Amino acid sequence: MRGSPVLLSQFKSSGIARVSGHKPFLRRSFPSCPACRHISASARRSRSAPQPADDPNFMSIVDNPATLVRTGRKHGPGLIILALIPITAFALGTWQVQRLDWKSKLMAKFEDRLVRDPLPLPPHVDPAAIKDFDYRRIYATGHFRHDQEMLIGPRMHEDTNGYLVVTPLEREGEGTTVLVNRGWIPKKLKLQKDRPDGLPQGEVTVEGLLREPWKKNRFTPDNKPETKEFFFPDVNQMASLTGSQAVWIEETMEPDLLKSWDREARGIPIGRPAEVNLRNNHTQYIFTWYALAAATSVMLWMVVKKPPADLTRRVRQNKDWS
């Protein structure tokens, strides 16, 4: 049945037509927009232009993929320093073990000398032989030369400032004088006129320890013998100043609190006890160094075994793509 003119016109306007009894079809129409026509023309030209994949030597990202790496090094110089700390601490701890053994043997040797009976001091003493008699108990008889007295200070005794009194002991015979460290006096009794009881006259017998010359601390100022200011016992300097032998004797006394108070009040020097007073802190040094070595070893293990953080992982671009 033929369609009416109105329907036919609608079919034509919508792009649907009948062709010799076939079913209607949709006619393809090109866009009327200028921009769309330009894009279609560009697409047709790009299909006709040569593509990189047409080159047989072309290499794509599939053929040469990127590499998953960590940006920066996993461990830097800090790890080397951290590894050196436990090694150094362990070596120092081992060295302190050796020092403890040496110090213990030295103190045992000195204590063995202390328990022996005192020896009379020879008229002339070889300074080179004093090392073999260090801490040996001796006694010597003579007269104190108070006019050549020297004060070493400041020196503390039970939180009180004062001085060490060093007086030459003149014995019979020429060149037999020796230096005697008589002990400590308070600062307020520095002048001899204020302590007459501390200036014995006549012949006296001194019992004490034969000691090696002291070694100066690098923080101690130099002595000023011209003004009689002495900050440390320089035995050779004091010996040349007084014309005595370079022999240092430390006078000893029995520890007695009441006797010490009486001496301090009267200005009589307080002598040292007959005991070894060497410092021996090597045990605590050993504990300190070995504890530091153990702690830093644990820290090193934790740093090495720590898994890398995901935020530090990056994709490195491959620069060899063609």
Side-chain angles (χ1 to χ4, degrees), residues 18 62 88 90 127 177 198-199 206 236 260 270 277 307:
R18 290 180 181 274
V62 178
T88 305
F90 184 82
T177 304
L199 305 174
V206 175
N236 294 322
S260 298
I270 302 175
N277 56 358

Side-chain angles (χ1 to χ4, degrees), residues 273-298:
E275 61 185 22
V276 179
N277 56 358
L278 297 180
R279 296 179 59 184
N280 188 7
N281 298 326
H282 300 291
T283 302
Q284 61 187 35
Y285 294 155
I286 292 171
F287 176 79
T288 301
W289 287 121
Y290 279 156
L292 179 62
T296 51
S297 298
V298 173

Side-chain angles (χ1 to χ4, degrees), residues 216-264:
K216 176 187 174 183
N217 190 308
R218 59 180 177 179
F219 301 106
T220 305
D222 294 332
N223 292 333
K224 298 178 181 179
E226 62 277 4
T227 58
K228 293 187 177 181
E229 293 182 85
F230 298 92
F231 303 99
F232 73 100
D234 188 334
V235 178
N236 294 322
Q237 183 185 66
M238 291 179 171
S240 61
L241 185 65
T242 59
S244 62
Q245 302 181 77
V247 178
W248 181 265
I249 298 173
E250 295 183 353
E251 188 174 2
T252 58
M253 59 173 285
E254 293 292 332
D256 190 320
L257 184 59
L258 296 179
K259 188 176 182 180
S260 298
W261 287 348
D262 179 65
R263 282 176 170 249
E264 181 178 350

Side-chain angles (χ1 to χ4, degrees), residues 69-233:
V69 297
R70 294 186 66 188
T71 57
R73 291 175 295 181
K74 183 178 179 181
H75 301 298
L79 183 66
I80 299 177
I81 297 175
L82 184 59
L84 290 176
I85 293 176
I87 297 175
T88 305
F90 184 82
L92 290 174
T94 304
W95 177 64
Q96 288 296 330
V97 171
Q98 298 173 355
R99 292 280 296 175
L100 176 62
D101 180 68
W102 167 79
K103 182 64 69 67
S104 300
K105 292 179 179 178
L106 181 64
M107 294 178 66
K109 179 173 64 176
F110 290 158
E111 289 172 355
D112 178 68
R113 293 174 181 175
L114 286 176
V115 298
R116 299 182 182 183
D117 294 334
L119 294 174
L121 187 68
H124 297 88
V125 180
D126 183 6
I130 296 178
K131 181 179 180 181
D132 298 329
F133 292 88
D134 195 14
Y135 276 96
R136 190 70 169 84
R137 294 172 59 194
I138 58 91
Y139 63 90
T141 302
H143 296 79
F144 279 129
R145 293 291 307 271
H146 298 295
D147 58 323
Q148 295 181 340
E149 180 185 86
M150 295 165 285
L151 301 180
I152 302 176
R155 287 291 188 276
M156 301 297 295
H157 177 73
E158 297 181 355
D159 299 329
T160 304
N161 197 6
Y163 298 93
L164 294 178
V165 179
V166 180
T167 308
L169 180 67
E170 190 176 58
R171 300 182 295 167
E172 292 184 1
E174 184 179 358
T176 59
T177 304
V178 293
L179 298 174
V180 179
N181 176 13
R182 300 181 58 203
W184 179 88
I185 60 171
K187 184 178 180 180
K188 63 182 180 180
L189 299 179
K190 175 181 179 181
L191 301 179
Q192 290 187 355
K193 64 182 182 63
D194 296 331
R195 47 183 173 90
D197 293 340
L199 305 174
Q201 305 297 323
E203 188 177 77
V204 295
T205 298
V206 175
E207 183 173 335
L209 303 179
L210 184 63
R211 294 300 316 279
E212 279 192 284
W214 290 27
K215 295 181 180 180
K216 176 187 174 183
N217 190 308
R218 59 180 177 179
F219 301 106
T220 305
D222 294 332
N223 292 333
K224 298 178 181 179
E226 62 277 4
T227 58
K228 293 187 177 181
E229 293 182 85
F230 298 92
F231 303 99
F232 73 100

